[in-house]
């Protein structure tokens, strides 16, 4: 974040900011006990991953260890108090199905060395003992900034299966060469060439580095892209497309709002020769068109035996945005600030024009947590149809078909008087999610509706929408376009309606599923 250190962003400033979000009858900033008394209900997600308490931001790429995914994320246990202990550690949760997680506590602590807190990076399994900490040691490369300005890369290692980590001295394994932005190392193993490869966020460039032992790194080149903000949290992986073609994908988190683009995960398909990445096109595609899918990571899909699936990647993103990161009622009402998207299954597909793109769908593990299913069948709508269903956390799937109309969709989390709701659907030549009619974290009012391209001549659209207490994720058709949006409806707003504009549509095979996650 230019102009302000990340550490200062993790100091609690939410206690006053969130007060404006609470429904009528709430109080101004006050003591935590008064805040809890003013809350109209819980805002904690029912089936999305949330931090147990305090603060969470960037996900760290999960790794598969002993039959479980180890999911690390940036966590600040001192968010509510701030002070000299502000800043993040790495906290760990494990999961076998990527829906239900078990908290394992802090794995990479902060402030245990003179370098302070620990920022984003990546964990790898050193099966070949290249770093000398033992075969199978878990190695973390992460950014630290001892003076809160000079960013460099440091190494931690674990010999207990990734549960606890020890610093490898206090010196960086990749010192800062004299630049401002130098962070978020993402490391992969290049088995073909017998070395490690690191991608690093360097303002408008992704730098590439080589290492034989994870402890000494050499710069070999970079990929430059301007116009979409400071590049952060780079990602590099190889995936097999549905047609059998192999592609490399380079991804970054970027804030493209100033250019009328998303501020989520930008990516390029292309080729990687171990040293340089060649993109198929100069402009990126976006894995999410909503406002709140930042610092996302992708990771291997493995079966219960650990076998890799080369045609599917998993992905998870932080459902927040630095423009309003502290603006949430969850810290006052539930004692936490930090919610992730549902884990996605990402595949590579070829479009009719020959270009390749990534498509997303919610993780299949959700199917194992269905606690209730409501089949509404086919519903004909001309105008607005209020359904006989209420809820704050569920999934809705439907296929909308029509002969002629301007728009169609759903009013989610609708108030009893119909005045508040989140709208999702299609209008003209775009799909959209609009949070402007409910309580939005964006107090500027400029970033309320997200849009993605849509071809109205199809006269049909499939929508799969995940609604939770503070979020909406809409998957359009095959999932090429996804909208992830944070919002804070009053817990009492539980209604659901279907709508059309300038015409009649049939909402076919409309199904609602609710989930119970232990």
């Amino acid at each position: 974040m230019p102009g302000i250190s990340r550490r200062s962003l993790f100091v609690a400033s939410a206690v006053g900011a969130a007060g404006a979000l609470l429904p009528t009858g709430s109080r101004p900033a006050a003591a935590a006990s008064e805040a809890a008394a003013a809350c109209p209900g819980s805002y904690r997600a029912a089936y999305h991953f949330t931090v147990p308490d305090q603060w969470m931001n960037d996900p760290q790429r999960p790794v598969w260890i002993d039959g479980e995914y180890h999911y690390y994320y940036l966590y600040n246990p001192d968010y509510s108090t701030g002070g000299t202990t502000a800043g993040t550690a790495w906290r760990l949760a494990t999961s076998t199905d990527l829906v239900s997680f078990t908290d394992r506590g802090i794995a990479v602590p902060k402030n245990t060395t003179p370098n302070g807190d620990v920022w984003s990076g990546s964990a790898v399994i050193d099966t070949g003992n290249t770093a000398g900490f033992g075969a199978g040691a878990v190695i973390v490369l992460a950014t630290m900034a001892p003076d809160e300005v000079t960013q460099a890369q440091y190494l931690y290692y674990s010999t207990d299966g990734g549960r606890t980590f020890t610093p490898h001295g206090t010196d960086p394994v990749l010192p800062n060469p004299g630049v401002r932005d130098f962070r978020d190392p993402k490391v992969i193993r290049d088995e073909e060439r017998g070395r490690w490869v690191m991608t690093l966020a360097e303002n408008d460039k992704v730098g590439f580095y080589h290492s034989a032992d994870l402890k000494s790194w050499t710069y070999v080149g970079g990929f430059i892209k301007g116009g979409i903000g400071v590049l952060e949290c780079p990602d590099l992986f190889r995936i097999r497309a549905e047609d059998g073609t192999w592609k490399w994908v380079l991804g970054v988190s970027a804030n493209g709002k100033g250019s009328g683009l998303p501020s989520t995960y930008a990516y390029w398909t292309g080729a990687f020769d171990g040293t340089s990445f060649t993109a198929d096109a100069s402009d990126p595609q976006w894995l999410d068109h909503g406002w709140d899918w930042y610092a996302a990571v992708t990771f291997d899909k493995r079966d219960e035996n650990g076998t890799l699936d080369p045609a599917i990647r998993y992905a998870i993103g932080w459902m927040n945005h630095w423009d309003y990161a502290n603006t949430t009622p969850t810290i006052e009402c539930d004692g936490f600030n930090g919610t992730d998207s549902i884990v996605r299954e990402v595949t590579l597909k070829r479009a009719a024009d020959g270009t390749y793109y990534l498509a997303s769908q919610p993780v299949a593990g959700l199917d194992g947590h269905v606690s209730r299913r409501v089949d509404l069948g086919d519903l004909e709508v001309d105008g607005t149809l209020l359904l006989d269903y209420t809820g704050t956390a569920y999934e809705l799937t439907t296929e909308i078909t029509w002969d002629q109309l301007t728009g169609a969709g759903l009013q989610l989390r609708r108030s009893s008087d119909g005045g508040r709701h989140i709208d999702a659907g299609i209008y003209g030549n775009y799909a959209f999610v609009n949070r402007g009619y409910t309580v939005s974290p964006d107090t500027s009012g400029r970033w309320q509706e997200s849009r993605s391209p849509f071809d109205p001549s199809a006269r049909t659209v499939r929508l799969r929408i995940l609604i939770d207490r503070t979020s909406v994720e809409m998957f359009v058709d095959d999932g090429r376009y996804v909208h992830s949006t944070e919002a804070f409806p009053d817990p009492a707003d539980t209604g659901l309606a279907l709508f059309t504009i300038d015409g009649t549509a049939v909402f076919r095979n409309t199904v609602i599923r609710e989930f119970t996650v232990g």
Side-chain angles (χ1 to χ4, degrees):
M1 290 294 298
I4 186 170
S5 74
R6 282 199 175 190
R7 181 176 297 188
S8 65
L9 281 167
F10 304 141
V11 178
S13 60
V15 173
L21 287 172
L22 298 177
T24 302
S26 302
R27 80 298 163 272
S33 59
E34 295 178 17
C39 291
S42 177
Y43 288 87
R44 187 178 287 276
Y47 62 96
H48 286 70
F49 181 84
T50 56
V51 65
D53 56 39
Q54 300 296 329
W55 166 274
M56 171 181 74
N57 60 301
D58 297 10
Q60 309 302 308
R61 183 185 62 201
V63 289
W64 177 264
I65 304 172
D66 297 332
E68 292 182 310
Y69 285 98
H70 283 52
Y71 171 46
Y72 304 96
Y73 57 91
L74 297 191
Y75 167 70
N76 181 13
D78 306 299
Y79 176 61
S80 294
T81 58
T84 59
T85 58
T88 49
W90 281 30
R91 190 159 180 158
L92 170 64
T94 58
S95 177
T96 56
D97 66 359
L98 296 172
V99 179
S100 178
F101 290 83
T102 299
D103 177 52
R104 304 295 185 183
I106 292 175
V108 183
K110 66 177 181 177
N111 300 321
T112 56
T113 77
N115 300 313
D117 57 330
V118 189
W119 298 3
S120 281
S122 57
V124 295
I125 313 300
D126 187 15
T127 56
N129 192 26
T130 64
F133 299 111
V138 184
I139 308 297
V140 160
L141 276 298
T143 302
M144 302 176 78
D147 59 5
E148 300 189 34
V149 176
T150 306
Q151 302 166 11
Q153 318 320 314
Y154 295 79
L155 188 149
Y156 284 76
Y157 65 93
S158 170
T159 57
D160 63 358
R163 295 297 179 91
T164 61
F165 286 81
T166 302
H168 172 57
T170 58
D171 294 331
V173 295
L174 180 55
N176 189 298
V179 299
R180 178 186 176 92
D181 300 300
F182 196 69
R183 58 180 176 267
D184 306 340
K186 190 69 61 65
V187 177
I188 62 173
R189 180 67 182 172
D190 185 350
E191 293 291 359
E192 180 181 350
R193 301 168 183 86
R195 63 193 179 201
W196 299 96
V197 175
M198 176 195 292
T199 56
L200 197 67
E202 303 176 32
N203 197 278
D204 64 350
K205 180 179 76 173
V206 175
F208 297 110
Y209 297 79
H210 289 166
S211 177
D213 61 4
L214 293 164
K215 296 184 289 189
S216 178
W217 294 89
T218 302
Y219 175 74
V220 295
F223 178 86
I224 298 174
K225 176 61 180 179
I228 55 174
V230 175
L231 308 183
E232 296 190 291
C233 305
D235 193 16
L236 181 67
F237 61 90
R238 190 170 182 247
I239 188 170
R240 189 181 67 208
E242 288 186 341
D243 65 3
T245 301
W246 287 90
K247 286 283 185 180
W248 282 88
V249 176
L250 178 66
V252 294
S253 281
N255 187 345
K257 289 196 306 188
S259 305
L261 297 169
S263 52
T264 59
Y265 180 107
Y267 72 91
W268 296 262
T269 61
F272 181 66
D273 63 6
T275 298
S276 60
F277 179 83
T278 303
D280 292 335
S282 59
D283 290 332
Q285 301 183 71
W286 297 82
L287 200 50
D288 198 291
H289 284 70
W291 300 121
D292 303 303
W293 203 69
Y294 200 72
V297 292
T298 71
F299 55 104
D300 293 340
K301 178 184 179 182
R302 297 185 180 274
D303 66 16
E304 59 185 9
N305 298 314
T307 303
L308 176 69
D309 186 338
I312 299 178
R313 295 283 291 182
Y314 287 131
I316 188 171
W318 178 48
M319 292 203 73
N320 208 336
H321 195 287
W322 285 117
D323 284 6
Y324 42 75
N326 293 305
T327 306
T328 171
T330 62
I331 187 66
E332 295 178 289
C333 295
D334 300 279
F336 80 99
N337 181 357
T339 301
D340 282 337
S341 73
I342 206 71
V343 173
R344 303 177 181 179
E345 297 184 357
V346 179
T347 56
L348 185 64
K349 299 186 178 185
R350 186 176 182 179
D353 63 2
T355 61
Y356 287 86
Y357 66 91
L358 296 175
S360 305
Q361 291 296 335
V363 66
L366 273 175
D367 295 342
H369 294 271
V370 177
S371 56
R372 182 188 179 204
R373 178 185 172 102
V374 181
D375 288 281
L376 300 176
D378 297 346
L379 302 167
E380 185 173 308
V381 180
D382 184 3
T384 301
L385 176 62
L386 182 63
L387 300 182
D388 185 21
Y389 175 83
T390 57
T392 60
Y394 55 93
E395 171 201 77
L396 186 146
T397 55
T398 190
E399 181 176 6
I400 310 173
T401 62
W402 64 88
D403 289 327
Q404 184 175 356
L405 52 66
T406 303
L410 304 95
Q411 290 184 343
L412 311 166
R413 298 298 304 275
R414 192 176 190 266
S415 61
S416 57
D417 63 1
R420 297 186 302 273
H421 43 82
I422 302 170
D423 294 347
I426 58 97
Y427 185 89
N429 62 356
Y430 60 85
F432 71 93
V433 172
N434 190 317
R435 63 186 177 188
Y437 301 104
T438 190
V439 182
S440 168
D442 172 39
T443 56
S444 75
R446 294 180 297 168
W447 316 113
Q448 307 294 18
E449 182 173 278
S450 58
R451 298 180 179 183
S452 62
F454 177 73
D455 180 7
S457 67
R459 293 185 295 189
T460 183
V461 64
R462 295 187 307 279
L463 300 180
R464 184 175 182 182
I465 307 176
L466 304 183
I467 301 96
D468 214 329
R469 290 179 180 139
T470 62
S471 64
V472 170
E473 294 166 276
M474 180 174 75
F475 298 77
V476 182
D477 288 328
D478 68 348
R480 179 175 188 173
Y481 299 111
V482 185
H483 296 246
S484 296
T485 299
E486 184 183 40
F488 305 115
D490 188 312
D493 292 350
T494 60
L496 173 63
L498 312 179
F499 69 85
T500 64
I501 302 172
D502 301 331
T504 300
V506 178
F507 290 67
R508 300 188 184 279
N509 301 316
T510 304
V511 176
I512 292 170
R513 300 196 303 175
E514 297 173 353
F515 307 103
T516 298
V517 178

